[in-house]
Amino acid sequence: MLEEIRITGLGVIEDATLELVDGFTVVTGETGAGKTMVVAGLGLLFGGRADAGRVRRGTGRALVEGRLRFVPDDPAQKLVLDRVAEAGAAPDEDGTLLLARSVAAEGRSRAHVGGRTVPVGLLGELAEQMLAVHGQSDQLRLLSAAEQRGALDRYAGEEVTQLRARCQEQYRAWRALVTELIDRTNHARERSQEADALRFGLTEIEAVNPLPGEDEELKAESRRLEHAEELRIAAYTAHQALAGDPTMDAESADVAALLGVVRRSLSAVGGHDAVLADAARRADELAALCGELGTELASYTDSLDADPARLAAVHERRAQLAGLTRKYADTIDGVLAWAQEAAAKLADLDTSEEALDALRAKRDEAATELAGTAATLSAARSGAAQRFGEQVTAELTGLAMPHARVVAAVTQREVSAETNTPSVVVDGRRLAVGPDGVDDVELRLVSHPGAPELALHRGASGGELSRVMLAIEVVFAGAGGPPTMVFDEVDAGVGGRAAVEIGKRLARLARTHQVLVVTHLPQVAAFADHHVVVVKDSDGSVTTSGLRSLSAAERPRELARMLAGLDDSDLGIAHAEELLAVARAEKDAVA
């Protein structure tokens, strides 16, 4: 939800802060006080078009700042946080996210999220998930064809959302097969040449038949063979120093003999002193190690091979392996990895008729599966569209549009076989298909009996469109969508009982959403949970506006002003208090 918005230097607002709460907040004020600037500020904060003409004269720039708080574990809001993290920004320690948008007097615009400069488009992406604005001149969400389809799918429930997810998965798989088949067909010559090069490499590697790590093993063996005589002399000399020369007398001063003297000397007196006893133990260990090392050196000299023929064979084998490492990789292990990847790639490069026929069969099978899912999805959407239209039409009756009717038209996109549009055959018809199926969804309005079905933005006036959007949002309320909804003079052109009905519906919508409404009707304002008034002040030459939250005791006076300009009249205040009591009773009755 949106916790706070601060507007500086925008239109008549010099500096104003609006603290928002859950539920229904209403903004009222005299004509020209700047109520619409609140909605304009929200639109600017969430990526709307920057208009330098709205920058307050003398300030240099307009600045709008906002603070968002997220609902834990909400999937849609988690996507928002993930997108924010991708942009390098992050929420504050308390979990709220700061947004800012500034517009300079010369027209330059800047956006910040989490204290980091970001593209303005990111604010628009956040708005898609967090905010829906409905005003006299702009309906920022549900006039989009894609959003109308998505909203209908959410309204339809889990059955349709699961079908759509399956359709998206099948579409991606089918398109991958189509792309691969086109690529193999259109680039057969290039693929054939690449396949020949791969086959040559694999044949060359197979002829040498290298083993993993063989190059390093042969390198080590080559060094041993080339320095065999030096190694033998070194090992023999070390062995003699350790174990002695068998041809010499027994008193020769080799390491083993000297360690024997050490052991005998220390063992004889070890019982009299713990330090020498420990030294005798370590001398025993040294004698054992000396014996093992002598045995290993003797074995090494016996196994050392100085065969020139073997050395020549090793050099020849290394030359063969070096030929492979020059072409395919730095090491033999890398060569073997290249061969494995080349074999896998060779299968993908196969442009034989047999391979193409197999790929066509897989493509056609995927198309059949996709067509079946798309047909089922389309039928489910049509059923949901019927229910949706009936519910919205029922809402319009209470919104002073008793003869109007809303239709959610679900149509399939037919294409000819000659076009390049991705398509599948469903029930004998070739239909354009996308990740969301074969349907277009358009919300249409029939303004009176006998009138044609027209798209919402063509079939309704500004005031009617706001009421239609309110009815739609009320019906959609239980099916997700942005948590914050803003309505700018949704009650234009109505009064009396119809205004009360609008207030009731806004209050009902506020049970599941944060609702902010700019209104001039007291019947609507009476249903609000929180009342903010735009206060205008003038020093004779400069007009400024600010925002002030009203207490429960102050609300009747503001409603009396809205009723007939009688904010100082006891009769007007009494009428306002009666209106508030009726609104409370209506809200309690539906709670």
Side-chain angles (χ1 to χ4, degrees):
M1 59 170 281
L2 189 62
E3 284 193 339
E4 182 181 80
I5 178 173
R6 181 182 180 186
I7 302 173
T8 307
L10 185 66
V12 296
I13 298 179
E14 183 176 20
D15 190 351
T17 299
L18 176 60
E19 294 184 359
L20 297 170
V21 295
D22 286 336
F24 181 2
T25 298
V26 68
V27 179
T28 63
E30 295 181 3
T31 300
K35 299 187 297 296
T36 301
M37 284 298 102
V38 176
V39 178
L42 280 170
L44 189 64
L45 181 63
F46 283 93
R49 186 177 66 87
D51 184 358
R54 286 184 168 177
V55 177
R56 184 176 176 81
R57 181 176 299 178
T59 61
R61 68 167 184 166
L63 175 65
V64 184
E65 300 169 288
R67 182 185 296 273
L68 283 174
R69 181 172 296 279
F70 294 88
V71 176
D73 303 324
D74 184 290
Q77 297 187 31
K78 185 178 183 303
L79 289 176
V80 172
L81 290 173
D82 290 344
R83 181 66 185 90
V84 167
E86 288 177 10
D92 283 355
E93 293 181 357
D94 63 356
T96 60
L97 182 67
L98 295 178
L99 312 178
R101 178 84 180 279
S102 63
V103 180
E106 61 271 19
R108 186 178 66 255
S109 170
R110 289 182 178 175
H112 295 81
V113 173
R116 187 179 183 90
T117 302
V118 298
V120 173
L122 178 60
L123 295 178
E125 292 181 37
L126 300 185
E128 291 178 5
Q129 298 294 334
M130 302 299 296
L131 184 78
V133 178
H134 303 297
Q136 288 282 356
S137 59
D138 59 345
Q139 309 291 332
L140 296 185
R141 187 169 64 96
L142 281 177
L143 293 185
S144 159
E147 180 56 35
Q148 288 180 6
R149 182 174 55 216
L152 179 62
D153 288 351
R154 287 194 299 273
Y155 167 81
E158 188 174 354
E159 177 191 3
V160 166
T161 54
Q162 288 182 350
L163 281 170
R164 187 178 63 180
R166 189 192 313 165
C167 186
Q168 290 170 342
E169 182 179 346
Q170 292 175 347
Y171 177 82
R172 285 191 293 269
W174 172 69
R175 287 297 296 168
L177 290 169
V178 169
T179 302
E180 183 179 357
L181 182 58
I182 292 173
D183 186 61
R184 286 200 192 193
T185 304
N186 293 346
H187 301 90
R189 178 177 298 175
E190 294 90 336
R191 283 174 166 267
S192 179
Q193 291 173 347
E194 186 178 358
D196 288 342
L198 292 176
R199 289 192 193 95
F200 178 82
L202 288 172
T203 302
E204 189 174 19
I205 294 171
E206 185 179 352
V208 177
N209 191 26
L211 300 175
E214 185 180 3
D215 50 344
E216 292 299 323
E217 293 177 3
L218 290 176
K219 182 179 179 181
E221 184 180 359
S222 175
R223 285 199 301 267
R224 287 197 303 271
L225 290 170
E226 290 170 354
H227 301 88
E229 190 59 31
E230 296 174 48
L231 296 173
R232 177 180 287 105
I233 292 173
Y236 180 75
T237 303
H239 179 265
Q240 281 188 323
L242 286 171
D245 188 345
T247 63
M248 301 295 289
D249 59 73
E251 298 301 324
S252 60
D254 58 77
V255 174
L258 292 175
L259 279 175
V261 175
V262 174
R263 293 170 59 205
R264 288 192 297 272
S265 299
L266 295 177
S267 297
V269 296
H272 306 308
D273 185 80
V275 174
L276 292 184
D278 183 63
R281 179 185 58 76
R282 284 185 285 165
D284 288 339
E285 293 175 357
L286 284 173
L289 288 173
C290 180
E292 292 175 4
L293 182 55
T295 301
E296 291 177 7
L297 289 172
S299 176
Y300 177 81
T301 55
D302 291 340
S303 64
L304 197 60
D305 187 5
D307 184 4
R310 174 57 186 168
L311 179 59
V314 169
H315 284 167
E316 182 179 355
R317 181 63 175 172
R318 291 188 68 196
Q320 291 177 333
L321 298 180
L324 298 181
T325 55
R326 279 195 301 269
K327 292 183 179 181
Y328 305 108
D330 293 334
T331 65
I332 287 302
D333 286 348
V335 171
L336 293 172
W338 181 91
Q340 187 175 8
E341 294 173 4
K345 190 174 182 180
L346 193 58
D348 293 336
L349 293 173
D350 190 354
T351 56
S352 66
E353 279 305 313
E354 294 80 3
L356 293 179
D357 287 343
L359 191 56
R360 290 188 189 99
K362 291 176 65 176
R363 176 205 60 188
D364 294 343
E365 181 181 355
T368 301
E369 291 181 358
L370 176 59
T373 301
T376 305
L377 174 59
S378 183
R381 276 190 180 130
S382 297
Q386 178 70 25
R387 299 191 303 273
F388 168 77
E390 292 171 356
Q391 290 186 31
V392 174
T393 299
E395 291 290 336
L396 290 177
T397 300
L399 295 174
M401 297 178 69
H403 305 298
R405 181 165 56 91
V406 166
V407 176
V410 179
T411 57
Q412 288 76 43
R413 304 181 291 266
E414 293 198 37
V415 296
S416 63
E418 292 75 22
T419 64
N420 292 325
T421 303
S423 61
V424 292
V425 177
V426 178
D427 296 331
R429 295 185 300 157
R430 182 163 292 279
L431 304 177
V433 66
D436 296 314
V438 295
D439 301 319
D440 282 329
V441 175
E442 184 178 55
L443 300 183
R444 300 172 183 171
L445 177 67
V446 180
S447 58
H448 57 271
E453 294 181 4
L454 297 175
L456 289 182
H457 62 286
R458 294 176 54 208
S461 64
E464 289 175 333
L465 183 57
S466 293
R467 278 176 278 161
V468 171
M469 286 299 182
L470 173 59
I472 290 172
E473 292 290 13
V474 168
V475 173
F476 277 153
T484 299
M485 296 183 179
V486 181
F487 295 90
D488 183 13
E489 297 192 6
V490 68
D491 46 26
V494 299
R497 185 63 191 172
V500 173
E501 291 297 324
I502 290 176
K504 287 170 61 177
R505 281 158 177 79
L506 289 168
R508 189 195 318 167
L509 189 61
R511 292 204 298 266
T512 54
H513 294 72
Q514 182 185 42
V515 176
L516 177 64
V517 177
V518 175
T519 184
H520 65 279
L521 289 183
Q523 296 95 325
V524 173
F527 280 87
D529 304 311
H530 184 53
H531 195 142
V532 175
V533 64
V534 180
V535 182
K536 183 167 66 171
D537 182 40
S538 176
D539 63 359
S541 59
V542 178
T543 300
T544 61
S545 292
L547 301 173
R548 185 167 69 86
S549 294
L550 299 182
S551 66
E554 293 173 315
R555 290 188 69 188
R557 186 176 296 275
E558 172 63 11
L559 291 185
R561 180 199 65 77
M562 297 172 70
L563 280 165
L566 302 175
D567 51 324
D568 291 326
S569 164
D570 291 340
L571 183 61
I573 292 175
H575 188 185
E577 289 175 340
E578 181 181 2
L579 187 59
L580 285 167
V582 170
R584 281 194 297 271
E586 292 276 8
K587 288 164 67 176
D588 291 341
V590 297

